[in-house]
Amino acid sequence: MNRLCELLSIQYPFIQGGMGNISSPILASAVSEAGGLGTIGTGTLSVDEVELLLLEMKKRTKKSFALNIPISVTPHLKGLCELAVKHSVPVVSLSAGNPSPYIPYFKEHHIKVICVTASVKHARKAEIAGADLIVGEGFEAAGINSPLELTTMTLIPQLVANVEIPVVAAGGVGDSKGFAAALALGAEGVQMGTRLIATKESPYHERYVKKLLEATDTETVIVGRSVGKVRRVLKTAYADQLIDAEGAGIHPDDFEAMTDEEKHRIGAVEGRLEEGFINGGQISGLVTSIPTVQELFTEMIEGAERVYEHQMKVIRDFYLKQ
């Protein structure tokens, strides 16, 4: 067991990414039950709505899980922080903002803190503030993205070289080869979102899942650059509307309204792809099956072992020929 698993009280070094208002205890509990860290996302949900999700989560699993709080997204920051303490949530994941002012509060209540970041500078600040681990999110990731646009391949080794706490790779990881690559970069685990959408426990609309299964390598698109709100989504009729609106010079407030969490829910949960968007990372083109979460985790662990065995053989054969 690596130190990440020990820290989070999980079996496998796999963390579920926060999914905002479409967060589901069904999928999150399946992740925890399979040995990973399931996550309940808060998005813009009210404190009462999130509390219902937490209560359902605690009914479904007794294993460790996380609550993701997107600092600059939620209008209920203080209430959500207090809710995490009220329900003795084992792990809190802080994203989309400066986590430093909030870390001490969670540490005082013996809650482990994950900080999602996209730069060395912010990771170091989070570590100094008391974060327990860093999730380094590359530009390949789905949903809200950093305007810095660093890739996972370049970000992770730099984070590992600059912080002492465990680093987890996010963005572009969803199979055994990606997991093996993340470990080779120095990460101690991976965080996934898009890949978990296409699992048997996924409660999302079949049109969303079908889009993932049919996705090619160029099936995702970045929107929001022109208004400073970068987001990676799957190509749909609604994504085309967003691109057209940007081209016409949309006001940032109007763009935000077109990409709020209600539009996310309409696309992902209701499957109305002409009226709402669906997030999708660049891993989308590699999603070709619908396993259970347990099957996915088992394949990633066993597959990564095979990858390393093969690569070691290649290296040995190369040097023997010298």
Side-chain angles (χ1 to χ4, degrees):
M1 177 180 289
N2 68 10
R3 60 174 179 162
L4 173 69
C5 293
E6 185 174 356
L7 178 69
L8 300 178
S9 299
I10 56 178
Q11 182 180 1
Y12 300 126
F14 302 138
I15 298 174
Q16 177 190 1
M19 295 180 174
N21 287 37
I22 70 165
S23 183
S24 166
I26 297 172
L27 179 57
S29 62
V31 171
S32 290
E33 285 294 301
L37 186 74
T39 299
I40 295 294
T42 61
T44 59
L45 296 172
S46 70
V47 173
D48 288 343
E49 289 172 316
V50 174
E51 184 164 37
L52 290 176
L53 294 178
L54 288 178
L55 290 171
E56 180 66 21
M57 183 70 176
K58 292 166 80 171
K59 283 181 182 178
R60 289 178 172 271
T61 185
K62 302 303 180 185
K63 295 187 177 181
S64 186
F65 68 94
L67 180 71
N68 173 247
I69 303 176
I71 295 166
S72 64
V73 175
T74 176
H76 311 289
L77 183 55
K78 183 175 184 292
L80 291 175
C81 291
E82 293 172 347
L83 187 67
V85 171
K86 175 184 175 181
H87 284 279
S88 301
V89 173
V91 182
V92 165
S93 168
L94 299 174
S95 59
N98 178 15
S100 298
Y102 312 101
I103 294 173
Y105 175 73
F106 294 117
K107 301 298 289 182
E108 287 172 8
H109 292 89
H110 310 291
I111 294 174
K112 297 293 189 298
V113 179
I114 297 172
C115 289
V116 182
T117 184
S119 75
V120 169
K121 176 182 177 181
H122 293 145
R124 293 173 75 173
K125 284 186 174 181
E127 180 179 38
I128 291 170
D132 292 289
L133 65 97
I134 297 295
V135 169
E137 187 171 77
F139 188 54
E140 301 92 327
I144 296 173
N145 248 312
S146 167
L148 299 174
E149 301 191 10
L150 294 174
T151 65
T152 303
M153 179 70 77
T154 58
L155 175 64
I156 297 305
Q158 293 183 77
L159 291 177
V160 171
N162 283 277
V163 299
E164 297 296 328
I165 56 179
V167 172
V168 171
V173 181
D175 60 12
S176 59
K177 291 180 179 178
F179 176 44
L183 296 179
L185 294 173
E188 297 185 36
V190 297
Q191 176 172 291
M192 297 179 288
T194 301
R195 186 61 186 90
L196 293 169
I197 297 294
T199 56
K200 285 188 167 62
E201 294 89 344
S202 169
Y204 306 110
H205 199 278
E206 61 183 12
R207 291 187 73 189
Y208 189 177
V209 177
K210 186 171 185 287
K211 265 298 214 182
L212 282 175
L213 294 176
E214 295 176 347
T216 64
D217 56 339
T218 59
E219 205 66 25
T220 70
V221 63
I222 289 292
V223 296
R225 277 197 185 101
S226 66
V227 293
K229 297 182 181 295
V230 181
R231 178 187 290 272
R232 187 179 296 280
V233 298
L234 282 168
K235 291 181 179 178
T236 60
Y238 193 77
D240 289 340
Q241 292 179 45
L242 292 173
I243 293 169
D244 290 343
E246 277 196 86
I250 189 171
H251 189 278
D253 291 344
D254 294 330
F255 181 84
E256 190 163 351
M258 289 186 71
T259 54
D260 64 16
E261 281 298 313
E262 177 58 17
K263 296 297 192 300
H264 186 194
R265 189 191 65 78
I266 287 171
V269 178
E270 297 186 9
R272 290 153 54 193
L273 304 186
E274 300 75 25
E275 301 170 54
F277 65 90
I278 46 177
N279 290 328
Q282 287 188 323
I283 192 67
S284 299
L286 292 173
V287 177
T288 59
S289 63
I290 307 178
T292 65
V293 174
Q294 185 68 74
E295 288 169 345
L296 174 64
F297 288 176
T298 299
E299 187 281 327
M300 288 180 69
I301 292 290
E302 294 178 352
E305 291 178 352
R306 291 192 296 271
V307 168
Y308 275 108
E309 288 172 0
H310 173 71
Q311 292 304 318
M312 289 305 297
K313 182 179 184 302
V314 170
I315 292 170
R316 285 194 300 268
D317 290 348
F318 174 80
Y319 277 108
L320 284 175
K321 292 178 182 178
Q322 300 307 304

